[in-house]
């Protein structure tokens, strides 16, 4: 049986945490609010991102302005910054080993399919990815199916075994999904939330980079030849 590796995208595979920080600060500045640092972002970051701005003290009127025109203010600021981001340490090696082992590589994300696929092509790794599960457009972001439900339906459609499926993410939501679907949860530090918040969700494993995935997979009986 081949394993299925399910990755979150932003902050997990794509090293775009500072792109999010710069986007957040640009929006705060637009409304005359003080800048935040990376530690504050990691303590407050949540999805949907309206929760982040609400926790930073923004008013309902300000949040409505952010969400106007399908979130254009956020997306038009973030995407050029994300275009400069690389993959996180060890991700390419995991992709190469997964291909050698014929493992499934699935991305499940709160981002939008088209720009996510564009980033995969820019980084030259689109051929490694089995499927991308994400929102269809800006108009449907956070308004249609949740990440967990999207993954549940995908696993049912392709008869994926939970015992050989691993979900890797940088936020507590991935641990919650793992718990609901019976998967192995792996939290990666250095993304959108603090290590303490990750640990409070009680994942099965915590790693600092993708190189540390290999011994976990080997412990479960996979990638033994690597």
């Amino acid at each position: 049986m081949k394993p299925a590796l399910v990755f979150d995208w932003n902050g997990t595979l794509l090293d775009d945490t500072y792109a999010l920080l710069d986007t957040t600060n640009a929006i705060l500045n637009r409304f005359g609010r003080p800048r935040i640092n990376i530690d504050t972002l990691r303590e407050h970051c949540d999805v949907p991102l309206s929760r982040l701005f609400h926790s930073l003290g923004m008013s309902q009127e300000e949040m409505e302005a952010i969400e106007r025109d399908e979130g254009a203010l956020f997306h038009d600021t973030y995407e050029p910054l994300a275009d400069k981001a690389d993959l996180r340490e060890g991700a390419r090696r995991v992709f190469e080993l997964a291909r050698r082992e014929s493992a499934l590589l699935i991305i499940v994300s709160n981002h939008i399919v088209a720009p996510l696929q564009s980033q995969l092509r820019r980084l030259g790794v689109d051929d490694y990815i089995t499927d991308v599960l994400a929102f269809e457009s800006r108009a449907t972001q956070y308004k249609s199916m949740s990440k967990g439900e999207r993954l549940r339906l995908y696993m049912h459609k392709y008869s994926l075994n939970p015992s050989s499926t691993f979900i890797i993410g940088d936020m507590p939501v991935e641990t919650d999904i793992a718990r609901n679907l019976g998967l192995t949860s792996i939290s990666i530090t250095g993304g959108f939330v603090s290590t303490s918040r990750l640990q409070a969700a009680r994942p099965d494993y915590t790693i600092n980079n993708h190189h540390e995935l290999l011994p976990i997979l080997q412990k479960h009986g996979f990638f033994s030849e690597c």
Side-chain angles (χ1 to χ4, degrees), residues 15 19 37 48 51 78 83 107 129 138 146 159-160 187 225:
D15 193 8
N37 60 25
R51 294 181 180 176
Y78 165 80
D83 283 342
I107 292 174
I129 307 302
R138 292 185 182 185
S146 69
S159 301
L160 300 189
S187 288
E225 300 301 316

Side-chain angles (χ1 to χ4, degrees), residues 5-93:
L5 307 183
V6 180
F7 289 93
D8 172 55
W9 175 242
N10 303 101
T12 298
L13 288 174
L14 186 66
D15 193 8
D16 63 339
T17 301
Y18 281 88
L20 176 62
L21 175 64
D22 290 345
T23 300
T24 302
N25 279 325
I27 292 172
L28 290 171
N29 180 67
R30 183 184 181 98
F31 292 98
R33 293 185 172 272
R35 294 173 59 87
I36 62 171
N37 60 25
I38 190 65
D39 292 334
T40 301
L41 176 72
R42 286 175 168 151
E43 283 306 314
H44 290 271
C45 192
D46 203 350
V47 288
L49 287 173
S50 58
R51 294 181 180 176
L52 166 62
F53 292 111
H54 177 74
S55 69
L56 293 175
M58 301 196 80
S59 68
Q60 185 62 35
E61 183 180 50
E62 289 170 328
M63 288 192 292
E64 288 173 359
I66 296 169
E67 294 174 356
R68 194 171 297 139
D69 299 323
E70 299 176 354
L73 176 59
F74 176 87
H75 290 289
D76 292 349
T77 306
Y78 165 80
E79 293 297 345
L81 296 170
D83 283 342
K84 302 173 184 177
D86 201 349
L87 293 173
R88 291 197 57 180
E89 182 184 351
R92 290 179 188 274
R93 178 169 180 260

Side-chain angles (χ1 to χ4, degrees), residues 21-179:
L21 175 64
D22 290 345
T23 300
T24 302
N25 279 325
I27 292 172
L28 290 171
N29 180 67
R30 183 184 181 98
F31 292 98
R33 293 185 172 272
R35 294 173 59 87
I36 62 171
N37 60 25
I38 190 65
D39 292 334
T40 301
L41 176 72
R42 286 175 168 151
E43 283 306 314
H44 290 271
C45 192
D46 203 350
V47 288
L49 287 173
S50 58
R51 294 181 180 176
L52 166 62
F53 292 111
H54 177 74
S55 69
L56 293 175
M58 301 196 80
S59 68
Q60 185 62 35
E61 183 180 50
E62 289 170 328
M63 288 192 292
E64 288 173 359
I66 296 169
E67 294 174 356
R68 194 171 297 139
D69 299 323
E70 299 176 354
L73 176 59
F74 176 87
H75 290 289
D76 292 349
T77 306
Y78 165 80
E79 293 297 345
L81 296 170
D83 283 342
K84 302 173 184 177
D86 201 349
L87 293 173
R88 291 197 57 180
E89 182 184 351
R92 290 179 188 274
R93 178 169 180 260
V94 169
F95 290 171
E96 292 165 0
L97 294 177
R99 172 179 281 177
R100 188 187 308 172
E101 297 289 311
S102 300
L104 298 179
L105 278 175
I106 301 159
I107 292 174
V108 60
S109 174
N110 279 321
H111 201 39
I112 298 162
V113 171
L116 200 164
Q117 290 177 327
S118 176
Q119 294 287 2
L120 290 171
R121 290 191 296 271
R122 175 182 70 84
L123 293 161
V125 294
D126 50 313
D127 287 345
Y128 290 100
I129 307 302
T130 308
D131 270 307
V132 172
L133 312 180
F135 286 106
E136 304 81 4
S137 68
R138 292 185 182 185
T140 62
Q141 192 176 28
Y142 299 116
K143 296 175 183 175
S144 61
M145 197 180 302
S146 69
K147 288 174 67 172
E149 181 64 8
R150 210 180 291 273
L151 180 58
R152 185 188 70 80
L153 292 174
Y154 184 91
M155 292 184 66
H156 177 75
K157 180 178 180 179
Y158 293 101
S159 301
L160 300 189
N161 189 335
S163 67
S164 58
T165 302
F166 303 78
I167 186 167
I168 304 97
D170 68 320
M171 297 185 76
V173 63
E174 283 84 36
T175 300
D176 293 339
I177 291 171
R179 193 168 290 119

Side-chain angles (χ1 to χ4, degrees), residues 184-198:
T184 300
S185 58
I186 303 171
S187 288
I188 185 166
T189 64
F192 284 6
V193 307
S194 64
T195 301
S196 61
R197 290 178 62 196
L198 288 178

